[in-house]
Amino acid sequence: MILEGMNDHWNTSLQGATRQKLDAFAKLRGRSVRPGQFWDVVIITAADDRQRAAYELQVAEKLQRKELPLGLPYHVFADPPGPKIGNGGSTLYSLQQIQNKYGDKVRGFRVILIHAGGYSQRLPSASALGKIFTALPLGEPLYQMLELKLAMYIDFPSRMQPGVLVTCADDIELYSVKGGGAVAFDRAGFTALAHPSTLSTGTAHGVFVLEPAEGTEPGDLEYRSCRRFLHKPSVQEMHSSGAVCSRAAGGTGTGGQWAGRPEFVYTDSTYYMDPDTAGRLLGLLAEIGPLGCEIDAYGDFLQALGSGATSAYTKNTTNVTKEERNLVEVRGKIFDLLEGTPLNVILLNNSKFYHIGTTQEYLFHLTGDPNLRAELGLLSDAFSVCPADASKNPAVCIIHSVLHPACTVGLGSVIEYSRLGPNVTVGGNTVISSCWIEGDFNVPSDAFIHSLSLSVNRATLFVTIAFAVGDNLKQSVPSVSDIGQLQFYGRSLLECLGLWGLSVQDLQFSGDTSCLSLWTAKLFPLCCDLKSSFKLSLNMITSLQGRSSFTFPEDVKLFSLQEALQCKDLEEMLKFRKELHRDISEEKLKQS
């Protein structure tokens, strides 16, 4: 998602402010930070212990390679076993963990809490290693989302009172303030960042209903009080609640940005809570005991705040993945605890909010969006060896990969952590992730192909997941008789089975058999090496386009993406990346 209607001056100022933050972070990478210079504690949340171990290993490698600031603790906290508790539940458990570890000293800490749990079903290339470790075509050493998050908030710790800053792993906030102004988190209660957005954008985010301004002239940065917070409201609700703002086109503040589009709302991204508020939430967890329902760190916390807040939202379960029996009761307790707590809002009128949580967003922002490319300085060739035409084409993105000069990559495609040999042609709008492609292959357009290393019965094996970019891995049906409703690469899954010589009886699903999806369908063959794994899965999807016939090898074992993640071999995947790093470094040394 991007804000539209920027003028050239605004874009230039945003680019300059972003470059300053990246430069400031680059000076801290691999160096011990002084007190007050950076965060006292960095926390990353994980969905379970398996994901926690994967995150901890990657953070440790980053610290060893001196890709992060040193001299402070980086913690990964996993959600407890049991029902899904949401990022609100993760927030509460993280507060508990840090309190247990540091005691009362935590009240003097400046903490950043990054929600990175979940299995990224909308961007499966981030499922195994985590969306907080999604690679970006930026920086030397190469940035992942973790580094970018820390870089974009580089100014916050020195202007923040002790407390906790809560953010998510799959979005990017860019902003600029004229005259060197800075964001300060120094007020009691909650303080949230707010970005001017279209009303259609507001329907998928949190929207602030502001208290009336005190007559001050709007600028790049405004501090306001919030009367009420709306969670994914309708356009009608935004209008009726007073959330919709308007300024004359060409005026000050957001006027130039919103010329020709005078109506807008302020949407959420990141927020801060002071130590007293964090302590009260921690006390609530002690009162409730183990959570048995999904709590949202935005919808359930922020809707309780402001002078106009009511408890009506506690009974609204429209946006809940699965309604547990005690959800309304827990929400009621949160409302009672937080009612009357101030919600301060920092209006970043020269700002942009990008979400990179889906395959389509990932492709667009890395290959099709000139604004983000200019603002962040994104590259077409980021620490890679690739054909000259690809390295200079803004509509192609190659990250940490080795491509033979004779291979071809279509427009709008991203290649990351992969090897491509000669005679390989990749179609447009395609993602190739962690693959080894050797041979005469034509990869179709609009494909998502991702290889994983697995440890199965103590043997290292491989599976390659292949979908269409637009396939919905989260859509589910209740029984095998309904699988015709699932779409795989533009066809009914039932039709695909027929083309592959399989019957409905042959199809198996992992996990909950009352919730069947492409995520749990055992479709992908297990192989002894990366190259064979890619070849088999590619043949699966090309056969659906009538390019070739395909039948599964006899006695082959089929895995689902869900099942593959349960036995992923993280060390083997990182080993493949290290080998790529070695070869790229050697080639660049030859060229220097």
Side-chain angles (χ1 to χ4, degrees), residues 121 360 446 448 465-477 479-480 482-497 499-500 507 509 516-521 523-524 540-541 544:
Q121 290 176 277
Q360 292 92 333
D446 302 307
F448 172 89
I465 308 301
F467 297 101
V469 164
D471 283 344
N472 184 355
L473 276 63
K474 299 183 78 170
Q475 180 191 1
S476 63
V477 294
S479 68
V480 173
D482 300 311
I483 64 167
Q485 299 175 30
L486 300 177
Q487 294 287 306
F488 182 92
Y489 224 97
R491 293 178 181 264
S492 158
L493 182 56
L494 193 61
E495 184 182 359
C496 296
L497 296 178
L499 292 170
W500 296 330
L507 185 62
F509 289 86
L516 312 180
S517 66
L518 295 182
W519 182 262
T520 62
L523 296 173
F524 305 105
M540 283 178 61
I541 60 174
L544 301 180

Side-chain angles (χ1 to χ4, degrees), residues 108-167:
F109 289 170
R110 293 164 180 84
V111 179
I112 182 169
L113 171 59
I114 307 173
H115 285 299
Y119 283 103
S120 192
Q121 290 176 277
R122 296 184 297 171
L123 181 60
S125 53
S127 295
L129 296 169
K131 53 192 171 184
I132 191 63
F133 301 103
T134 300
L136 296 166
L138 172 71
E140 181 62 44
L142 196 69
Y143 273 55
Q144 294 180 329
M145 281 297 296
L146 176 57
E147 287 89 338
L148 186 61
K149 275 284 174 185
L150 296 176
M152 291 302 97
Y153 301 157
I154 193 70
D155 295 336
F156 289 177
S158 62
R159 297 175 174 89
M160 173 176 151
Q161 292 297 312
V164 181
L165 189 83
V166 178
T167 188

